[in-house]
């Protein structure tokens, strides 16, 4: 596999941007190889500037549920761009997308469009703090909610603690209001709430965790979070930026606020936060909690989001079929595995942990065999299978993936597993 042009492009990019990238995980720095520089993508395939063709399971980290360059979205964007790219003024498109979102998330009685998942979760936290008048928040170790200061905090090992900044630049003052607990550890949640529940504004959680690899909530975790937050008057925030539109969790549990991103913009910069009207009516200009954005509700992003959600709604059994397809791929990979692996699945999300034990939280994920992950990743990349370059990410199947893609993937995995033994 030639990667000469990508290597040269990477060296030049490093002159302009930290690590040569505009988001760290794209740098491949933890898998000790240069990242392919992408020229284009179509359907389930992505092509680099050296002309290599890959089956893509990153899907831009989640947005590309329909596959790349879907003709309906491309056509709609071509028309939209002729009408201008941004107005900074209200359009009917924003109302149209909000109405479509509400079909999937009726709990989002009132919502606000923003430009990234980071903005959505940062804003939701501010609203929770403004609405409750409280300052502390609870998050879970290994969950990623974007890079706003309050959320860039890890509490170190598994016990409940008042966070230490995990990034320089996050002040002690900020970190002390963030309590990070082990995912799936409801007794730790109950302990913290019994200690200082009256000070906690919100619990923010990925109801299906996709940022430590894929870690599923255990039976009682989400219901207990709902029960404890209600009991102490804290808000429950579901961060569905990644799992949204792929996994239904709100048919059983209703959060107070929901954060969405990725798929909602069909690959253009768009995200949203929203929830109970009683809470969201406190957001400016209805209320005093301020949040704003020059490009929020951008007409091009709205157009791509509207077309995407329309297809999800109009395609019979879309989610069921995509989930079944994903299960089939996973069975194929498991059938050729020659080392112990875990292959959790949630809808069209999955991942491969190199471990012989069930992964329940970040510590379990971190204890999986990273050396095997790295070797497997590089072998798959060389064979034209484009996986996330980190054990702490999730893989995505799109509507565009087909049996030929899956056969190529399973054949490559068979060879890659052989290289591990
Ligand atoms: P963005 O600010 O990157 O749009 O969204 C932040 C975010 C919030 N919540 C969840 C559950 C998320 O998964 C994310 C972002 N996901 C990562 C992938 N694990 C984005 C990839 C990247 O950082 O480049």
């Amino acid at each position: 596999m030639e990667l000469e042009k990508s290597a040269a492009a990477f060296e030049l990019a490093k002159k302009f941007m930290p690590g040569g990238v505009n988001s760290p995980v794209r740098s491949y720095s933890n898998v000790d190889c240069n990242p392919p520089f992408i020229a284009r993508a179509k359907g389930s395939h992505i092509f680099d500037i050296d002309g290599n063709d890959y089956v893509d399971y990153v899907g831009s980290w989640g947005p590309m549920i329909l596959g790349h360059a879907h003709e309906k979205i491309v056509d709609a964007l071509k028309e939209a761009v002729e009408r201008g790219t941004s107005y900074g003024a209200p359009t009917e498109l924003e109302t149209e997308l909000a109405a479509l979102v509400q079909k999937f998330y009726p709990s989002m009685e009132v919502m606000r469009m923003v430009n990234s998942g980071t903005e959505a979760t940062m804003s939701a936290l501010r609203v929770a703090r403004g609405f409750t008048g409280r300052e502390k928040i609870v998050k879970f170790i290994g969950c990623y909610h974007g890079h706003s200061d309050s959320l860039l905090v890890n509490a170190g090992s598994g016990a409940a603690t008042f966070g230490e900044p995990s990034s320089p630049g996050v002040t002690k003052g900020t970190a002390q209001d963030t309590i990070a607990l082990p995912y799936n550890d409801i007794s730790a949640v109950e302990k913290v709430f019994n200690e200082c529940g009256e000070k906690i504004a919100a619990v923010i959680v990925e109801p299906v965790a996709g940022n430590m690899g894929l870690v599923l909530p255990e039976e009682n975790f989400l219901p207990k979070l709902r029960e404890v937050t209600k009991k102490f008057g804290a808000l429950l925030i579901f961060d569905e930026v990644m799992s949204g539109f792929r996994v239904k969790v709100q048919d059983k549990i209703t959060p107070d606020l929901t954060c969405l991103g990725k798929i909602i913009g069909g690959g253009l910069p768009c995200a949203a936060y929203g929830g109970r009207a009683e809470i969201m009516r406190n957001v400016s200009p209805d209320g005093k909690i301020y949040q704003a954005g020059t490009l929020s509700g951008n007409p091009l992003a709205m157009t791509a989001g509207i077309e995407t959600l329309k297809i999800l709604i109009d395609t019979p059994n879309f989610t069921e079929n995509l989930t079944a397809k994903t299960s089939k791929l996973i069975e194929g990979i498991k059938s050729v595995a020659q080392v112990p692996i875990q292959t959790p699945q949630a809808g069209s999300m999955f991942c491969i942990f190199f471990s012989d034990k069930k992964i329940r939280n970040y510590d379990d994920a971190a204890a999986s065999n990273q050396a095997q992950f790295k070797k497997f990743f590089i072998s798959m990349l060389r064979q034209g299978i484009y996986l996330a370059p980190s054990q702490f990410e999730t893989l995505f199947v799109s509507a565009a993936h087909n049996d030929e893609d899956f056969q190529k993937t399973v054949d490559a995995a068979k060879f890659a597993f052989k290289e591990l033994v």
Side-chain angles (χ1 to χ4, degrees):
M1 170 164 284
E2 284 306 308
L3 283 167
E4 261 174 47
K5 288 183 182 162
S6 283
F10 197 32
E11 288 316 305
L12 181 60
K14 285 175 184 173
K15 293 187 168 55
F16 294 89
M17 293 158 288
V21 291
N22 284 305
S23 199
V25 74
R26 304 175 191 171
S27 65
Y28 279 41
S29 49
N30 61 314
V31 287
D32 303 332
C33 75
N34 287 342
F37 271 56
I38 301 305
R40 64 186 179 87
K42 178 68 179 167
S44 55
H45 286 244
I46 197 163
F47 305 85
D48 70 18
I49 58 176
D50 288 285
N52 298 307
D53 171 355
Y54 305 89
V55 179
D56 178 16
Y57 291 104
V58 175
S60 182
W61 306 95
M64 310 322 293
I65 192 168
L66 299 178
H68 293 284
H70 188 287
E71 59 278 3
K72 281 192 177 164
I73 296 171
V74 171
D75 292 346
L77 285 172
K78 279 178 181 169
E79 277 181 38
V81 80
E82 297 287 344
R83 295 193 291 273
T85 53
S86 179
Y87 318 123
T91 67
E92 293 170 295
L93 291 170
E94 294 146 91
T95 309
E96 189 178 351
L97 182 57
L100 286 169
V101 167
Q102 226 168 54
K103 288 181 187 298
F104 290 88
Y105 293 95
S107 68
M108 295 176 81
E109 296 168 351
V110 175
M111 69 187 83
R112 171 63 59 81
M113 301 294 171
V114 292
N115 300 284
S116 71
T118 295
E119 255 194 282
T121 57
M122 176 180 73
S123 307
L125 281 193
R126 184 179 312 134
V127 170
R129 286 169 158 151
F131 178 73
T132 60
R134 301 176 181 182
E135 298 190 353
K136 301 235 176 282
I137 61 154
V138 173
K139 75 176 286 288
F140 294 93
I141 299 164
C143 283
Y144 176 73
H145 304 288
H147 63 89
S148 64
D149 282 4
S150 284
L151 291 165
L152 264 192
V153 174
N154 266 320
S157 69
T161 179
F162 292 92
E164 285 296 320
S166 68
S167 165
V170 175
T171 64
K172 284 265 184 231
T174 300
Q176 71 185 8
D177 286 332
T178 300
I179 303 165
L181 303 176
Y183 196 77
N184 276 322
D185 186 341
I186 203 63
S187 56
V189 174
E190 287 169 333
K191 181 172 181 292
V192 161
F193 268 89
N194 288 329
E195 283 166 0
C196 61
E198 71 291 347
K199 294 181 184 160
I200 297 174
V203 171
I204 185 167
V205 64
E206 290 180 62
V208 171
N211 286 290
M212 45 182 137
L214 182 62
V215 175
L216 307 183
E218 286 172 346
E219 187 80 26
N220 69 336
F221 185 52
L222 298 177
K224 277 285 183 185
L225 284 185
R226 180 65 286 180
E227 184 187 311
V228 168
T229 46
K230 253 196 182 104
K231 181 180 167 189
F232 285 88
L235 299 190
L236 179 59
I237 303 173
F238 273 4
D239 177 354
E240 300 199 43
V241 166
M242 183 191 284
S243 60
F245 307 101
R246 288 184 185 266
V247 192
K248 281 195 183 76
V249 289
Q250 296 199 21
D251 42 356
K252 299 187 188 74
I253 308 274
T254 305
D256 299 298
L257 293 172
T258 300
C259 301
L260 299 172
K262 297 181 191 273
I263 288 170
I264 192 177
L268 268 71
C270 177
Y273 71 98
R276 285 176 20 221
E278 174 200 7
I279 301 170
M280 289 300 291
R281 291 296 178 203
N282 289 281
V283 178
S284 176
D286 279 352
K288 294 189 170 52
I289 302 170
Y290 196 70
Q291 180 269 316
T294 303
L295 295 174
S296 296
N298 170 276
L300 301 186
M302 296 298 103
T303 298
I306 288 164
E307 290 309 314
T308 299
L309 298 196
K310 274 182 180 171
I311 293 167
L312 298 186
I313 290 169
D314 295 345
T315 308
N317 304 314
F318 181 90
T319 304
E320 294 74 7
N321 293 342
L322 194 53
T323 300
K325 232 165 81 164
T326 306
S327 304
K328 201 171 127 191
L329 171 64
I330 292 171
E331 285 318 305
I333 292 171
K334 281 163 67 174
S335 71
V336 297
Q338 314 213 5
V339 294
I341 58 171
Q342 302 294 317
T343 52
Q345 176 188 357
S348 46
M349 300 164 66
F350 74 102
C351 90
I352 302 170
F353 285 111
F354 290 83
S355 170
D356 58 3
K357 62 179 274 193
K358 190 167 181 293
I359 308 294
R360 298 181 60 246
N361 56 34
Y362 177 74
D363 285 352
D364 290 350
S368 61
N369 190 321
Q370 306 300 319
Q372 288 187 339
F373 169 84
K374 196 186 286 189
K375 263 186 95 170
F376 181 82
F377 168 80
I378 289 170
S379 174
M380 294 293 270
L381 186 72
R382 288 210 179 105
Q383 299 180 78
I385 308 299
Y386 194 78
L387 304 178
S390 162
Q391 176 67 80
F392 306 118
E393 294 295 347
T394 291
L395 302 172
F396 303 94
V397 173
S398 80
H401 283 87
N402 57 39
D403 287 344
E404 189 185 336
D405 293 330
F406 289 169
Q407 192 55 57
K408 180 175 179 185
T409 304
V410 172
D411 293 347
K414 184 172 183 176
F415 181 82
F417 282 124
K418 270 209 186 80
E419 289 190 290
L420 296 185
V421 293

